[in-house]
Amino acid sequence: MSETDTAAQTFAERLAAVRARVAAACARAGRAPEEVRILPVGKTHGPEVIAEAVEAGVTCIGENRVQEARQKAPLCPSGIEWHLIGHLQSNKVRPAVDLFCMMHAVDSLRLAQRIDAVCGEAGKTMPVCLQVNVSGEASKFGMPPEDVPGALESAGSLMNIDVVGLMTIPPFTPEPADARPFFRRLRELRDRSAAETGVMLPELSMGMSRDFEVAVEEGATVIRPGTVLFGKRGGQRGGA
Ligand SMILES: *Cc1c(COP(=O)(O)O)cnc(C)c1O
């Protein structure tokens, strides 16, 4: 689909198209479509665009910057579940805990401990995914795969966070299908870590606009499409 087509459609039409592609990927992988949640990523898009998504039935939105989400949320329809999908700096944990209902990119035990402490004060329990750098690229956030079991063991004693799964951003590859080994690695790491530690890790947060079908085939339970739903981000900074 070309970008002009994307622009010509309504949000509801684009959402229906993504749902159909998720369903087809599920069918190929022998999975049920209900196993995959679509988390539309609204970064850089304004409240009126988010409102159109809510109108189309969206109930959760992903954002990668705390400050942007904090400014936008009060201007958006109420009742949205905001998910933090980007790197979290320790000095922004407090406002992040206030707004978000789930954090997808917890990339160190230290950050997990900080979130736990703030959640304790706020009387909240935060579901989180550990972000894993499965490719080993130096430019990527995320803990090395070998650190995951230890982090899970330690996080087990934190009473105010709940590690529910793993998240990854694969390296950019010219062909979306080339991201498959990285998604597969995350799933295998999840399976291994869960078996080793006894921590249930139902969620695999993986797959963006260009590669969500591959991610679904490899077991994604949450996909994070932005551009394919909201259109191009107008010249603003992109990924986390
Ligand atoms: C921006 C972003 C997305 C969405 O990217 P698209 O390519 O627009 O689908 C998903 N996940 C994270 C962590 C992001 O920062």
Side-chain angles (χ1 to χ4, degrees):
M1 186 190 302
S2 80
E3 249 134 37
T4 9
D5 292 336
T6 308
Q9 290 178 314
T10 64
F11 183 92
E13 287 166 339
R14 294 192 294 265
L15 181 60
V18 168
R19 283 205 180 116
R21 290 168 61 189
V22 167
C26 282
R28 288 194 294 277
R31 305 182 63 201
E34 305 79 60
E35 292 173 33
V36 182
R37 279 185 299 157
I38 298 170
L39 176 64
V41 172
K43 64 188 185 195
T44 77
H45 297 288
E48 54 305 319
V49 179
I50 305 293
E52 192 191 351
V54 171
E55 195 87 343
V58 163
T59 56
C60 51
I61 295 284
E63 291 286 338
N64 71 331
R65 286 172 197 276
V66 177
Q67 203 180 342
E68 179 188 338
R70 292 265 296 176
Q71 286 168 353
K72 194 187 320 190
L75 308 172
C76 291
S78 58
I80 294 173
E81 291 178 14
W82 297 93
H83 289 233
L84 183 62
I85 60 169
H87 176 71
L88 177 57
Q89 293 167 306
S90 58
N91 63 339
K92 294 197 180 127
V93 169
R94 199 166 294 272
V97 162
D98 286 343
L99 177 64
F100 293 103
C101 69
M102 177 161 167
M103 296 181 179
H104 291 238
V106 174
D107 53 9
S108 71
L109 180 60
R110 243 184 116 217
L111 177 59
Q113 289 164 335
R114 173 89 185 117
I115 297 167
D116 177 70
V118 173
C119 281
E121 291 164 19
K124 277 192 171 183
T125 306
M126 185 65 68
V128 306
C129 286
L130 299 181
Q131 181 174 0
V132 187
N133 183 350
V134 285
S135 65
E137 285 176 294
S139 63
K140 281 263 158 63
F141 287 116
M143 57 180 70
E146 58 272 21
D147 287 4
V148 169
L152 287 172
E153 301 272 13
S154 306
S157 65
L158 305 176
M159 301 318 291
N160 309 297
I161 67 166
D162 204 359
V163 181
V164 294
L166 304 181
M167 177 270 208
T168 201
I169 303 173
F172 182 87
T173 51
E175 282 298 319
D178 292 339
R180 186 181 302 280
F182 303 103
F183 294 141
R184 184 169 296 171
R185 231 178 267 175
L186 193 73
R187 170 167 48 84
E188 290 170 350
L189 176 66
R190 187 274 308 269
D191 294 347
R192 238 177 13 250
S193 308
E196 249 173 64
T197 63
V199 181
M200 292 288 295
L201 298 168
E203 305 286 358
L204 286 175
S205 173
M206 57 188 197
M208 309 176 21
S209 291
R210 61 194 312 275
D211 54 19
F212 69 83
E213 287 152 304
V214 184
V216 167
E217 288 171 9
E218 292 301 326
T221 61
V222 184
I223 60 168
R224 308 181 310 268
T227 315
V228 73
L229 288 173
F230 287 111
K232 247 180 134 171
R233 290 183 284 273
Q236 297 196 44
R237 36 187 194 199

